[in-house]
Amino acid sequence: MRLSIGGRNEDKIQQLADCIDRSQAIVAITGAGISIAGGGVTYSQLSHIVHPGDLQSESFLQAYVNAMHHYKPTLSHYALRDLEAAGKLIGIITTNEDCMHTIAGSKNVAEIQGGFQINRCSKCGRHYDGYEIWNQSSLPKCEFCGGSILPWELYSHISLWDDGVQKARKWIAKADLLLIIGTNGYYGSAYWNYRRKDAVIVQINPGHTGFDSAADLNIREPCDYVFQKLKERRSRNG
């Protein structure tokens, strides 16, 4: 399906609203753009501004956790949560490690690069899953051996989390509408070819990405702006 790709962004947002209304199974694919909208910092961003030798250090981990605690889910995170609660959204595929989709209240989230919900002790290997363990002033320690608890990115040395990838493939195979939000599609090869070929693809991103040619509709606006406009339209229409 090819939508009317020209015209004003306001018209494109109306087309998006119509697509959401018609859809029975939406999957959102999100990246750094959805979190940066709220002033957040991503793991990859922070890893680029510290010395490579510090990436395994507690000082790096503390810096990242401190950054996480200084921002909250964005309007877009909450909008996706609401689409899920309404029975429209069947899953979110994300490369973000910040747990903001879960914190916002979304239930079906495939964090394909892992994140701060998948943790284990660096000494004894005991698992501590759930982001709540990071909600403290100091870095968490294992209650059994006292070892440092590390998130997936630091202990696995593996780019992708298989459980997340399997969820992503399952959901994208069912989706009739794909919302690509603030991502360049890194690691998309792990799930992209599993999508329904008749799925409508809408990209929300101020910049150009590798998804441009695949999208039926490209909306060149920040995601919070787009979801705010959708919210206003729903309010006017009752």
Side-chain angles (χ1 to χ4, degrees), residues 46-159:
L46 195 57
S47 68
H48 287 318
I49 60 175
V50 300
H51 189 278
D54 292 337
L55 292 180
Q56 298 295 325
S57 71
E58 289 200 0
S59 60
F60 169 74
L61 188 56
Q62 185 71 67
Y64 184 81
V65 172
N66 288 343
M68 282 178 62
H69 288 170
H70 279 85
Y71 75 107
K72 303 295 182 184
T74 65
L75 186 154
S76 299
H77 287 109
Y78 289 118
L80 294 180
R81 174 206 62 189
D82 293 344
L83 283 174
E84 181 185 73
K88 287 283 189 178
L89 185 83
I90 62 173
I92 298 169
I93 302 168
T94 188
T95 51
N96 295 341
E97 305 98 346
D98 58 15
C99 306
M100 287 295 150
H101 286 297
T102 301
I103 293 170
S106 292
K107 305 299 183 185
N108 296 321
V109 184
E111 295 173 322
I112 63 172
Q113 288 193 98
F116 281 71
Q117 299 196 80
I118 310 160
N119 315 292
R120 78 174 185 186
C121 175
S122 59
K123 187 175 179 181
C124 71
R126 186 177 296 272
H127 277 262
Y128 289 86
D129 292 342
Y131 69 86
E132 295 86 356
I133 196 171
W134 302 99
N135 293 334
Q136 50 187 295
S137 57
S138 58
L139 293 178
K141 299 291 184 181
C142 178
E143 60 184 332
F144 294 92
C145 73
S148 298
I149 296 174
L150 299 178
W152 171 268
E153 283 283 348
L154 292 187
Y155 79 70
S156 69
H157 308 292
I158 300 172
S159 296

Side-chain angles (χ1 to χ4, degrees), residues 22-27 174-178 196 198-201:
R22 291 193 299 265
S23 176
Q24 300 299 314
I26 302 171
V27 165
K174 297 178 180 178
D176 57 13
L177 173 61
L178 300 178
R196 277 176 50 173
D198 63 342
V200 175
I201 302 171

Side-chain angles (χ1 to χ4, degrees), residues 180-232:
I180 302 172
I181 305 169
T183 179
N184 288 317
Y186 294 128
Y187 302 113
S189 59
Y191 59 82
W192 185 249
N193 288 337
Y194 290 78
R195 74 189 186 281
R196 277 176 50 173
K197 301 309 178 185
D198 63 342
V200 175
I201 302 171
V202 177
Q203 177 177 222
I204 304 169
N205 200 316
H208 292 276
T209 76
F211 285 114
D212 287 2
S213 59
D216 298 294
L217 183 66
N218 284 296
I219 302 176
R220 304 289 183 206
E221 295 284 1
C223 52
D224 273 8
Y225 172 86
V226 173
F227 282 109
Q228 178 61 38
K229 290 296 183 181
L230 289 174
K231 183 178 181 180
E232 291 170 2

